[in-house]
Amino acid sequence: MVQKYQSPVCVYKYPFELVMAAYEKRFPTCPQIPVFLGSEVLRESRSADGAVHLVERSCRLRVEAPRLLRKIAGVEHVVFVQKNVLNWKERTLLIEAHNETFASRVVVKENCSYTVHPENEDWTCFEQSASLDIRSFFGFESALEKIAMKQYTANVKRGKEVIEHYLNELISQGTSHIPRWTPVPGPEEDTHSQAGLRDPGSLEVCGPGSAQGPAPEMVSTDGNKLDADYIERCLGHLTPMQESCLIQLRHWLQETHKGKIPKDEHILRFLRARDFHLDRAREMLCQSLSWRKRHQVDLLLQTWRPPALLEEFYAGGWHYQDIDGRPLYILRLGHMDTKGLMKAAGEEVLLQHVLCVNEEGQKRCEGNTKQFGRPISSWTCLVDLEGLSLRHLWRPGIKALLRMIEVVEDNYPETLGRLLIVRAPRVFPVLWTLISPFINENTRQKFLIYSGSNYQGPGGLVDYLDKEVIPDFLGGECLCNVPEGGLVPKSLYLTEEDQEHRDQLRQWRETYQAASVLRAAPHEVAVEILERESVITWDFDILQGDVMFSLYYTKQAPKPGPREPGARAGGQLTDKGWALGADYSRVEAPLICREGESIQGSHVTQWPGVYLLQWQMHSAPGHMACSLPGVEDVLMALHSPGPRCKLLYYYEVLASEDFRGSMSSLESCSSRFSQLSSTTSSSSSQSHSSSLVSR
């Protein structure tokens, strides 16, 4: 495989002629580059008018490799041939170099150019590219490739230091200006010699380093973007190979992309997300650019105005910055009625709002970079989970959350610098089990999770936020203007027609099942559990009437007739001959559910077997059923007119392995999670459940 390198453009704020004088002082030896052992001129010629000067040198470089490799190769130094074409008239120096040693086994090519800055004729630009192709090398191809690229990248920045050293030396000796070349009247130029020096075929490998100036991708209205210093000042420290990937990807975009070219910060995020694997980063970025164009995301901050509903009930907002200068976003997820927001605003509106938050985050990062004078490319999110309960595990809400995570991961990679999760309750591991597989591993490493009051004091928020910006609701002194959230009134819910228009009702019907409950004819669902400590979760809405919900356990499976998945026609699964305490047992106390309520709950199973979720019509206290109704009662109820209750329900089983896995994932994020993990782990040794009603 051919390894390629492309440098950012380096800018010397000196005229071309003075830089050339400094460059010539590098030869025949250069003490500032220890591996450079010396050089000798092989060939030299000038055009008749002196405008073009060609020099060909043989350069010796010491081999810095393990002794064994040097012994096998049988050499202590390698020879490179360097060809320089200096054009004083055009003010360009084009350099080609290739290896002579082991040329049949290893091919190294380097192309460099010194040109005049396109916006300031008293400045000089330098750029270089190189390629390495190891065809065969005694079975040490991989080792040699690593050594060669490591040495090359380690010394590539030394070139600028060397030129600046000799520039300073010239200036200290009194040479601060060298006049530009002017033609000298004389005999007619040697046209043959001139043609030979200007042979396009001999210079075509220089590509961007032509006499017309630097590569077009490096020209910008902001002159300092040509400089390698800009990368370190505005983008952060990058290795030479990382700089090369950034330059190559930007160059490729400018040649092929029909549309707005993203900023360097944006390109760099995709490179980091793919560990600077150029092809994979290019593919990811192209898909994102297509997505942005299709959904007009670039216009989002100018066109999006959140509805009043979100401004009041969406408990999230920006709040100063963290201790590293990253913009800080606070999300009070535990105080948010996610189900109400979904039913009142719809998934698409919430997704638009999340995208707007991410766009605003990038804009704030740029502002903080200018404000603090150092690269800031990501933001911090503080998530308060106080109040998080099973109502947040509503299935369509989870599906919508996973979709939003997928969209953000694909199009805003490496924008999250740190995620601080505070006041994580016992139900959090269930939520984490559902969403963590969809979060990139690099992103998960940025999670810090605190339970209880562990976020207070040393090792807590003070390690990441200045005391002056810690919100008041977390014990700080700073007034936080993030909305407090709260339950969304059902009067704001979308009508069924609106839901159909927004394609929401279809999604809910695909997820939920409808059931009718008649007097003495309950609706039951059998859930087979193969191993203890599995987690059964349920979520249902009471559309009409009042219902009593119970959970039973039995070792023997009910004898099903023709039935829909999980329940027989009519909803009754059990036999009248079953006796409570003998054939089956109740593992959950009955829960009275009123019309209009939304119920979520879970149960950690203690034994393998069959668990029955049962909904039956609620009667007056004196007539409350204490056992399962029989088949005759069911048949009579089905054929007799009378009141009925209606509900939509959904249930899911989390395997015990997945549930325990969620705990280990959380513990790996932060040692401070011990309190939460120990609390939840203790509950797994016994049957534990909880249900929550949201009105």
Side-chain angles (χ1 to χ4, degrees):
M1 178 179 176
V2 179
Q3 287 276 4
K4 295 184 178 181
Y5 171 83
Q6 172 68 55
S7 76
V9 174
C10 173
V11 176
Y12 300 100
K13 297 183 179 180
Y14 297 94
F16 176 81
E17 289 73 21
L18 192 62
V19 173
M20 290 300 97
Y23 175 77
E24 287 298 323
K25 292 177 72 67
R26 292 181 50 175
F27 301 101
T29 61
C30 185
Q32 288 76 24
I33 304 180
V35 298
F36 188 80
L37 301 178
S39 64
E40 60 178 317
V41 175
L42 301 178
R43 183 165 65 96
E44 183 173 8
S45 62
R46 297 178 185 272
S47 63
D49 63 354
V52 180
H53 182 197
L54 183 148
V55 179
E56 194 169 318
R57 294 184 178 91
S58 175
C59 304
R60 291 180 297 114
L61 283 80
R62 184 173 67 249
V63 177
E64 291 194 345
R67 183 174 178 276
L68 176 62
L69 192 57
R70 295 202 306 270
K71 186 175 181 180
I72 293 174
V75 297
E76 292 293 330
H77 69 268
V78 295
V79 175
F80 277 75
V81 175
Q82 181 197 75
K83 178 183 177 183
N84 291 1
V85 179
L86 174 60
N87 190 320
W88 291 108
K89 182 178 180 181
E90 301 291 340
R91 304 180 78 194
T92 61
L93 171 63
L94 307 179
I95 306 169
E96 300 175 28
H98 65 272
N99 64 306
E100 199 171 64
T101 307
F102 296 119
S104 62
R105 296 178 177 272
V106 181
V107 179
V108 180
K109 294 182 180 180
E110 185 179 58
N111 300 286
C112 308
S113 66
Y114 287 87
T115 57
V116 177
H117 192 290
E119 298 171 9
N120 189 331
E121 62 180 13
D122 290 327
W123 290 358
T124 305
C125 296
F126 170 78
E127 64 177 313
Q128 65 189 123
S129 61
S131 65
L132 170 68
D133 183 9
I134 302 178
R135 296 170 180 172
S136 65
F137 202 79
F138 315 108
F140 288 87
E141 291 81 10
S142 179
L144 182 64
E145 179 180 292
K146 292 179 181 178
I147 292 171
M149 296 310 295
K150 180 179 179 181
Q151 292 298 324
Y152 188 82
T153 56
N155 290 287
V156 70
K157 288 194 173 182
R158 294 296 305 276
K160 182 176 182 180
E161 297 174 6
V162 170
I163 295 296
E164 289 179 341
H165 169 79
Y166 288 118
L167 282 168
N168 292 331
E169 188 175 283
L170 284 170
I171 294 172
S172 66
Q173 295 171 354
T175 304
S176 59
H177 175 72
I178 297 177
R180 297 183 186 180
W181 177 87
T182 54
V184 179
E188 186 177 349
E189 295 183 357
D190 184 346
T191 56
H192 176 77
S193 172
Q194 184 75 349
L197 291 173
R198 291 176 175 269
D199 178 13
S202 66
L203 301 178
E204 63 181 0
V205 294
C206 291
S210 64
Q212 281 72 34
E217 73 274 14
M218 305 309 300
V219 178
S220 167
T221 55
D222 186 357
N224 64 7
K225 284 195 177 183
L226 294 162
D227 197 350
D229 292 340
Y230 152 78
I231 293 178
E232 189 160 348
R233 187 175 68 253
C234 297
L235 304 179
H237 175 72
L238 301 174
T239 67
M241 291 306 297
Q242 290 171 344
E243 290 178 353
S244 173
C245 290
L246 174 61
I247 299 301
Q248 290 183 67
L249 187 49
R250 185 171 64 175
H251 184 190
W252 180 84
L253 283 172
Q254 290 184 319
E255 286 187 337
T256 61
H257 181 59
K258 297 178 181 179
K260 181 180 178 182
I261 303 298
K263 297 179 179 179
D264 292 335
E265 298 93 324
H266 195 74
I267 299 174
L268 189 57
R269 289 187 179 105
F270 286 84
L271 286 167
R272 284 177 171 147
R274 292 296 179 261
D275 296 322
F276 286 89
H277 189 289
L278 196 58
D279 292 337
R280 290 165 55 198
R282 179 190 295 123
E283 180 183 1
M284 183 184 185
L285 179 56
C286 286
Q287 291 176 352
S288 178
L289 290 175
S290 175
W291 171 83
R292 294 182 69 88
K293 182 178 181 181
R294 188 165 61 251
H295 297 283
Q296 297 185 320
V297 180
D298 289 336
L299 302 176
L300 197 58
L301 288 180
Q302 290 77 38
T303 58
W304 170 253
R305 292 295 178 269
L309 172 75
L310 289 186
E311 292 183 341
E312 182 177 356
F313 294 101
Y314 189 90
W318 295 99
H319 181 78
Y320 300 101
Q321 54 270 329
D322 71 4
I323 202 167
D324 296 317
R326 295 189 183 103
L328 175 64
Y329 189 82
I330 293 179
L331 183 65
R332 305 188 69 177
L333 183 59
H335 284 218
M336 231 162 46
D337 180 8
T338 52
K339 183 174 184 178
L341 287 173
M342 278 281 291
K343 286 194 169 185
E347 181 180 335
E348 292 303 318
V349 171
L350 288 176
L351 176 60
Q352 286 285 96
H353 190 64
V354 169
L355 296 181
C356 194
V357 169
N358 280 272
E359 290 291 308
E360 177 69 19
Q362 293 187 134
K363 183 178 178 182
R364 286 175 177 263
C365 286
E366 294 176 14
N368 284 18
T369 295
K370 296 178 181 177
Q371 178 182 347
F372 296 110
R374 62 178 184 274
I376 296 173
S377 59
S378 59
W379 44 285
T380 292
C381 186
L382 172 61
V383 181
D384 179 21
L385 295 185
E386 183 192 46
L388 185 79
S389 61
L390 294 168
R391 66 188 171 91
H392 293 90
L393 302 183
W394 183 57
R395 184 65 178 183
I398 293 295
K399 291 178 68 175
L401 175 61
L402 295 179
R403 179 192 173 198
M404 293 174 193
I405 289 175
E406 181 181 14
V407 171
V408 171
E409 289 270 306
D410 289 344
N411 299 286
Y412 300 93
E414 297 298 315
T415 54
L416 181 65
R418 185 180 293 123
L419 181 67
L420 303 170
I421 298 177
V422 298
R423 302 199 278 194
R426 283 172 45 173
V427 72
F428 179 60
V430 180
L431 177 62
W432 180 258
T433 298
L434 295 173
I435 68 172
S436 60
F438 298 89
I439 301 175
N440 181 274
E441 177 62 28
N442 291 337
T443 303
R444 290 205 300 268
Q445 296 299 323
K446 301 171 184 177
F447 283 38
L448 289 168
I449 305 169
Y450 302 88
S451 64
S453 59
N454 288 348
Y455 65 90
Q456 298 176 346
L461 293 182
V462 292
D463 284 9
Y464 308 102
L465 305 178
D466 289 326
K467 291 182 179 179
E468 294 77 14
V469 303
I470 295 179
D472 50 354
F473 60 84
L474 292 178
E477 300 177 355
C478 185
L479 179 64
C480 182
N481 293 321
V482 173
E484 294 185 2
L487 291 177
V488 177
K490 292 191 175 181
S491 60
L492 298 179
Y493 284 10
L494 299 173
T495 64
E496 187 168 306
E497 291 75 16
D498 290 333
Q499 290 168 356
E500 288 178 344
H501 177 70
R502 295 172 184 246
D503 205 27
Q504 296 295 313
L505 192 60
R506 176 192 58 79
Q507 178 188 357
W508 296 342
R509 283 174 174 167
E510 289 175 354
T511 304
Y512 284 76
Q513 298 184 53
S516 294
V517 180
L518 304 178
R519 188 176 302 280
H523 184 83
E524 297 171 351
V525 175
V527 181
E528 185 176 6
I529 299 297
L530 301 179
E531 60 176 349
R532 63 185 301 270
E533 296 185 0
S534 297
V535 182
I536 306 173
T537 67
W538 54 82
D539 177 17
F540 56 90
D541 285 353
I542 309 301
L543 305 181
Q544 178 181 322
D546 295 340
V547 172
M548 183 173 68
F549 172 74
S550 301
L551 181 66
Y552 296 93
Y553 167 76
T554 177
K555 292 182 180 179
Q556 58 178 318
K559 296 179 181 179
R563 60 189 175 100
E564 60 182 352
R568 187 164 53 201
Q572 177 69 33
L573 293 176
T574 51
D575 191 272
K576 184 177 181 180
W578 284 17
L580 183 64
D583 301 295
Y584 65 98
S585 59
R586 179 183 282 122
V587 293
E588 285 292 334
L591 178 67
I592 307 304
C593 311
R594 305 295 181 182
E595 181 176 318
E597 289 182 344
S598 299
I599 313 296
Q600 295 85 35
S602 68
H603 178 87
V604 181
T605 62
Q606 189 171 353
W607 316 280
V610 177
Y611 288 77
L612 294 171
L613 283 70
Q614 183 198 76
W615 295 268
Q616 61 178 318
M617 185 174 291
H618 174 54
S619 304
H623 301 88
M624 183 177 292
C626 60
S627 63
L628 299 175
V631 175
E632 290 85 353
D633 299 325
V634 174
L635 294 175
M636 184 178 297
L638 288 173
H639 293 91
S640 302
R644 69 173 60 197
C645 300
K646 294 182 179 180
L647 61 103
L648 289 174
Y649 70 92
Y650 173 84
Y651 72 93
E652 184 174 18
V653 177
L654 302 177
S656 61
E657 180 181 355
D658 294 336
F659 188 67
R660 289 194 299 267
S662 71
M663 299 311 307
S664 60
S665 299
L666 291 172
E667 289 168 353
S668 68
C669 291
S670 171
S671 61
R672 305 185 191 93
F673 198 70
S674 56
Q675 179 181 340
L676 176 58
S677 61
S678 62
T679 301
T680 309
S681 297
S682 65
S683 70
S684 64
S685 63
Q686 57 185 342
S687 177
H688 163 72
S689 72
S690 60
S691 293
L692 184 140
V693 181
S694 60
R695 299 179 185 275

